[in-house]
Amino acid sequence: MFDLILTQTLNGLASASALFLVASGLSIIFGVTRIVNFAHGSLYMLGAYVAFTLVSQFGAGSALGFWGSVVLAAAIVAVIGVVIELVVLRRIYHAPELFQLLATFGVVLMIQDLTLAGWGAEDKLGPRAPGLSSFVVIAGNRFPTYELFLIAVGPLVLGLIWFIFHRTRWGTLVRAATQDRDMVGALGVNQRWLFTSVFAFGAMLAGLGGALQLPREAVNLHMDLSMIAEAFVVVVVGGLGSVTGAYLAAVLIGVLHAFGILILPKITLVLVFLVMAVVLVVKPYGLLGRAPVGHARPHGPAEPLLTPADGPTRLAGLIGLVLLALVPVIAPDHIVLTLTELVIFALFAASLHFMMGPGGMVSFGHAAYFGLGAYGAALAVKWLGAPMETALIFAPFLAGIAGVVFGWFCVRLSGVYLAMLTLAFAQIAWATAFQWVELTGGDNGILGVWPSAWATSKTVYFYLSLGLSAVAVLLLRHLVFSPLGYALRAGRDNPLRAEAIGIDVMRAQWLAFVVAAMAAGLAGTLFAFLKGSVFPTYMAIPRSVDALLMVLLGGVQTVSGPIIGAFAYAGLHEQLMKATMYWRFVLGLSIVLLVVLFPRGLVGTVLALRERAGRGAGAEAGR
């Protein structure tokens, strides 16, 4: 028994070192630049691929060839990080933080297809490390020497980072920027080059982590997303900006994961997210994180004021609705199906916007409610024998119950911590749907979820989806300008002052969670009847990211932004998938260009131009 415990502990520590290398760079980058860098997993993947190429070129038989390739791969990834920072991120530091996150996701898509084009879709098997290809006997069990080497790498890198941050001028500047980067700039420090050097350092750590995985696992195109999810969890559990906290969190998660495989194999799918949820509920700022002092305003321009639509805007909306209603008269069935899907996604994006725009609550797990609505409809039809009309009421109500439960915990947090807790709950819901085969069908899903006989026509179902989505969106819009909406905005802009004047900010946010969950559940219900089936992927991370991208592309601080963003993103995604094998690169490039050219989103930029033109006309009239 002791030998099994020791072996699994060592396995967990080896995995923790690799996780720490990626998470430490992510934590440092966030601490200084305040960018939630989705592309950090892509840098990790590039480190593995570049190391594979260099080892193949220089040979793996000699220590110099292998270890030199590992070091050179980390350096090359650092240079790639500098290019990303200079070409993309430096141009959008003035943009709201969420749009910077959107740009890094565009970079993820671009790197995925560039990697596919450069190395192909096949997995790459790396060689064993020279001098560390054997094993040692520990407590009667064989244990790879390379795993022992990785166990030592984590503390060594942690010590090196501590030395750099506490014994060098650059490290002092980095620590100062983590505390107050505006003050660092006021003291004459060149913030641009500080940001570039920090991004290069974090990219190097990610590249080193990827290169060191070469003897452990096959290099593949899915390394980026699988790693970035766990790295985010480690950073949040450890405490944002705390490298030591990241190491402790990596060790905790690595060891628990190693034992979870033996004790509860099914729980390993969501173990890291369960750990994060528990830690954030008990310690809202992570193991070694610190609560922000006072009310920290977000970096970037002030949020524009949400105002009710004027006459021309309402007219444009009415014309758009009429044009959509006329489409089935002149368009073929496949166009009607595509538009039905876009209308449903518009409601899905609007539900997320109700939390993000007025409430300032970013959700990385909004697909949980979309998926629960879909499953609620499927279970009502298949298990209860209910008609579609009953399912349209039951399923959103089920999603709303989840919003009540999840929201109760989430509203006690803010910022990235809140976003990551929503992700944890979404992953728990996804794992439940994936593994509860008796109820949900598991990965096979639930089939045969069709609408009632009167709505089986594609045209009729389009009008049903358009009508329900339009009514739900208008209700959300009404709530934005209701007392609840104003209370949400007050809590978003200054929670301390809002509480001081008698607004129960937490209750308002909790109610917003429930409303958004029910609206997303309705969208999921309509989507289930459109597709005729329900699968766990409906509540997976990519679906949540899609909703986030729709809201950001349209504009967070605009009411019509998520609708325009949904049509722009989903429509572009649909057409690119048909047009080219490398659709991710084109989509990612389009996202990056949209963020650079329209830093407030499509609708937000149009409104800003209108406002500027109005001020210009007023100034001319006053002369």
Side-chain angles (χ1 to χ4, degrees), residues 506-530:
M506 193 175 295
R507 187 174 65 178
Q509 292 176 337
W510 191 14
L511 185 56
F513 252 92
V514 178
V515 171
M518 294 186 69
L522 176 59
T525 304
L526 293 171
F527 193 75
F529 285 113
L530 173 68

Side-chain angles (χ1 to χ4, degrees), residues 233 267-268 270-280 424 427-428:
V233 170
I267 206 174
T268 54
V270 291
L271 182 60
V272 293
F273 297 99
L274 282 172
V275 172
M276 180 175 67
V278 171
V279 170
L280 290 183
Q427 285 301 98
I428 293 170

